[in-house]
Amino acid sequence: MGGETGTSSSEKLRRGDREEEDVKVIEWEEFDHELTRLWSLSSALKLATEKKLTLQPKLESLIQVSADSLRRTNELEEMRQRLEARKLLVEKTSVACKVTEQDLKVKEDSLSAEVRSLLVGGTTLSIAKSKLQESNCQLEGESGYTHLKIVTNKLRKRQQYMVTQVSSIYPLKIEAGPSQDQELESLPGGSRLVGTKPVSQGSVRILGLPFSMAPFTKMSFFTDKKEVQKSATALGYVAHAVSLLAPYLGVPIRYPLRLGGSKTYIRDYAPYMEPSPSDMSTISTLSQSSKFVEFPLFLDGQDTTRAAYAVFLLNKNIEQLLNFVGENSLGPRQVLANLKELIRIIQSPDYIIHS
C-alpha cells in the first residue's frame, strides 16, 4: 500500500511540473498586445472555420466528381478493351470472309465449268436421243425389224458358205481307228455325234496331218524329224485357215500372221519375253510405227520355247473367234480341236437361227 501511494505522488509531481511548463507567464505591459494577438487569432480561426464549412460541400462535390470521373475512366478503359477485342474479332472475321469469298469464287468458277459441261452434255444427249428416236422409228413395226433379220440371216448364210469352202480346203478329221478316219461332223439340228468324247489334240488331223505338242515342249536327239515337219506343216494349214476365217467373220485377230506354209510366223506386239539379239536378227522384224516380235510356228533349231509360245498365240486367235460365236476354248493346246469346234458351230443350223 505504501508503494502504490509513493507511485501516485510521484506521478502527480511530474504532472504538476508539466502544467507549470505549459503555463506561459505574460507581463502586464504585453497583456494588451497578447490579448489583441489572441483576438486576431480567434477571429482568423473563426474565419477559417467558416471558410472550411463553406468549402466543405464544394470539396465533397469535387471528391464526388473525382470519384465519378475515376469510375467513368475505369468504365471507358473497360469499354476500350472490349472495343479492341471487338476490333480483333472483326479483323479475324474479315480475313475469314475473304478466304471464304475466294473459295466461293473458285467453287463458282468450277460450278460454271460444270454447268457448261452439263449444257454441252445435255445438247449431245438431246441429239443422241433424237437420233435414237429416228432409229427407233425406222425399226418400228415388222418392216424394219424384218429387214434387219433378213440382212443378218443373209450375212450368216454367206459366212457359213465361206467357212464351208475353207473346211473343204482344209478338212479336219478324227482318227477313229488304226486304219480308219472319220470326219467330225454334226448331226442334223446342230447336235454332236452321240457317245463321242471331247476331241483330243492327237485325234484330229488337218489334210491328213497330225499335230503334236511333244516336240514343242521338249526337243531331244531322238525326236522324229518327220513328225516335227508334219507338225509345222499342220500349223501352217491352221494359220492359213484362221487368216481366212477371221475376215469372213469380221473379227480382227489379236496376233497377226505372216504366212509361209511350214515356215509361218505369228506376231506379238506385246511379247512376254525379250528375244536375244541373235534371235532378233534372224526371226524378229520391227516395223517403223510400232514394235512387234515374230515367233516361228515351227521348230527352228533347238529353240522350243519360242515355237511353243507361237502355238499358244495361234490358239489364242482361234479362242478369240470361238468367243465371237459364243463358245469357249477346249483347252490352251487344243489347236486342231478348237478350229474344228469353230467350224462345226458356224456350220450348224443354230448359227443362223440365233442370228
Side-chain angles (χ1 to χ4, degrees):
M1 291 296 292
E4 292 179 359
T5 306
T7 303
S8 305
S9 60
S10 61
E11 288 179 357
K12 288 179 181 181
L13 289 174
R14 285 195 298 270
R15 192 179 302 115
D17 294 337
R18 284 196 300 269
E19 288 177 356
E20 289 179 357
E21 289 176 359
D22 293 337
V23 174
K24 185 178 181 181
V25 179
I26 301 173
E27 298 293 335
W28 179 255
E29 292 82 5
E30 296 178 356
F31 178 76
D32 292 335
H33 176 71
E34 190 68 24
L35 184 63
T36 303
R37 188 177 69 83
L38 291 174
W39 180 259
S40 61
L41 288 174
S42 177
S43 300
L45 179 61
K46 183 178 181 181
L47 291 173
T49 304
E50 291 177 353
K51 192 172 182 180
K52 178 183 176 183
L53 294 175
T54 304
L55 293 175
Q56 186 174 359
K58 294 181 180 181
L59 183 61
E60 291 178 354
S61 64
L62 289 174
I63 293 173
Q64 183 66 32
V65 169
S66 178
D68 293 341
S69 176
L70 182 60
R71 181 176 55 80
R72 295 283 181 88
T73 302
N74 293 334
E75 292 179 354
L76 287 175
E77 182 64 22
E78 292 178 358
M79 293 177 65
R80 187 185 66 80
Q81 292 178 357
R82 288 198 297 267
L83 182 61
E84 292 293 332
R86 291 290 180 88
K87 284 183 179 180
L88 292 176
L89 181 61
V90 169
E91 289 178 358
K92 291 181 180 178
T93 307
S94 178
V95 172
C97 288
K98 288 182 179 179
V99 174
T100 305
E101 185 178 358
Q102 292 177 356
D103 293 342
L104 184 62
K105 181 65 176 176
V106 172
K107 290 182 179 179
E108 184 179 357
D109 295 340
S110 176
L111 184 61
S112 298
E114 291 180 0
V115 169
R116 287 193 296 270
S117 177
L118 286 175
L119 290 175
V120 173
T123 304
T124 306
L125 182 61
S126 178
I127 295 172
K129 186 177 180 180
S130 300
K131 291 182 179 180
L132 180 61
Q133 289 177 352
E134 292 177 0
S135 301
N136 288 335
C137 291
Q138 293 176 358
L139 292 176
E140 280 181 357
E142 292 295 331
S143 58
Y145 179 74
T146 304
H147 177 69
L148 179 62
K149 193 75 173 177
I150 292 172
V151 172
T152 305
N153 190 277
K154 288 181 179 180
L155 176 62
R156 291 293 180 95
K157 286 183 177 180
R158 182 64 179 174
Q159 289 175 344
Q160 274 191 342
Y161 174 75
M162 300 304 293
V163 171
T164 301
Q165 297 301 312
V166 175
S167 178
S168 64
I169 297 172
Y170 297 108
L172 290 161
K173 295 181 181 180
I174 294 180
E175 191 179 53
S179 62
Q180 182 182 4
D181 288 345
Q182 179 184 1
E183 188 174 359
L184 179 62
E185 296 293 346
S186 301
L187 293 177
S191 61
R192 299 186 184 182
L193 292 173
V194 179
T196 58
K197 298 180 180 180
V199 182
S200 65
Q201 179 70 34
S203 63
V204 183
R205 295 178 175 231
I206 181 169
L207 272 179
L209 294 177
F211 171 71
S212 174
M213 278 295 297
F216 290 84
T217 56
K218 185 177 181 181
M219 189 73 175
S220 66
F221 180 78
F222 300 100
T223 302
D224 189 358
K225 300 299 187 295
K226 290 184 179 180
E227 182 183 357
V228 172
Q229 184 61 35
K230 288 180 180 179
S231 296
T233 304
L235 288 176
Y237 293 159
V238 173
H240 189 205
V242 170
S243 66
L244 293 175
L245 292 174
Y248 295 160
L249 298 176
V251 179
I253 54 177
R254 189 173 292 110
Y255 305 103
L257 296 158
R258 182 162 67 87
L259 302 175
S262 61
K263 298 292 184 180
T264 298
Y265 292 89
I266 188 166
R267 295 176 178 178
D268 185 7
Y269 285 87
Y272 293 99
M273 60 185 73
E274 276 300 322
S276 62
S278 59
D279 293 335
M280 288 290 292
S281 61
T282 56
I283 59 173
S284 233
T285 304
L286 298 179
S287 65
Q288 296 179 356
S289 58
S290 59
K291 296 182 179 181
F292 59 86
V293 179
E294 288 187 341
F295 295 89
L297 283 165
F298 56 92
L299 287 175
D300 186 12
Q302 299 296 322
D303 191 0
T304 59
T305 303
R306 296 176 60 80
Y309 185 64
V311 176
F312 171 78
L313 296 181
L314 179 62
N315 193 62
K316 278 295 180 181
N317 282 342
I318 303 174
E319 182 180 355
Q320 182 184 358
L321 299 178
L322 279 170
N323 295 153
F324 176 76
V325 298
E327 285 292 331
N328 295 322
S329 172
L330 298 176
R333 296 183 177 182
Q334 303 294 326
V335 178
L336 297 181
N338 282 332
L339 181 61
K340 183 58 186 174
E341 181 68 9
L342 174 66
I343 294 175
R344 184 198 69 79
I345 292 172
I346 298 175
Q347 289 180 335
S348 66
D350 291 338
Y351 184 72
I352 297 178
I353 294 173
H354 296 151
S355 63

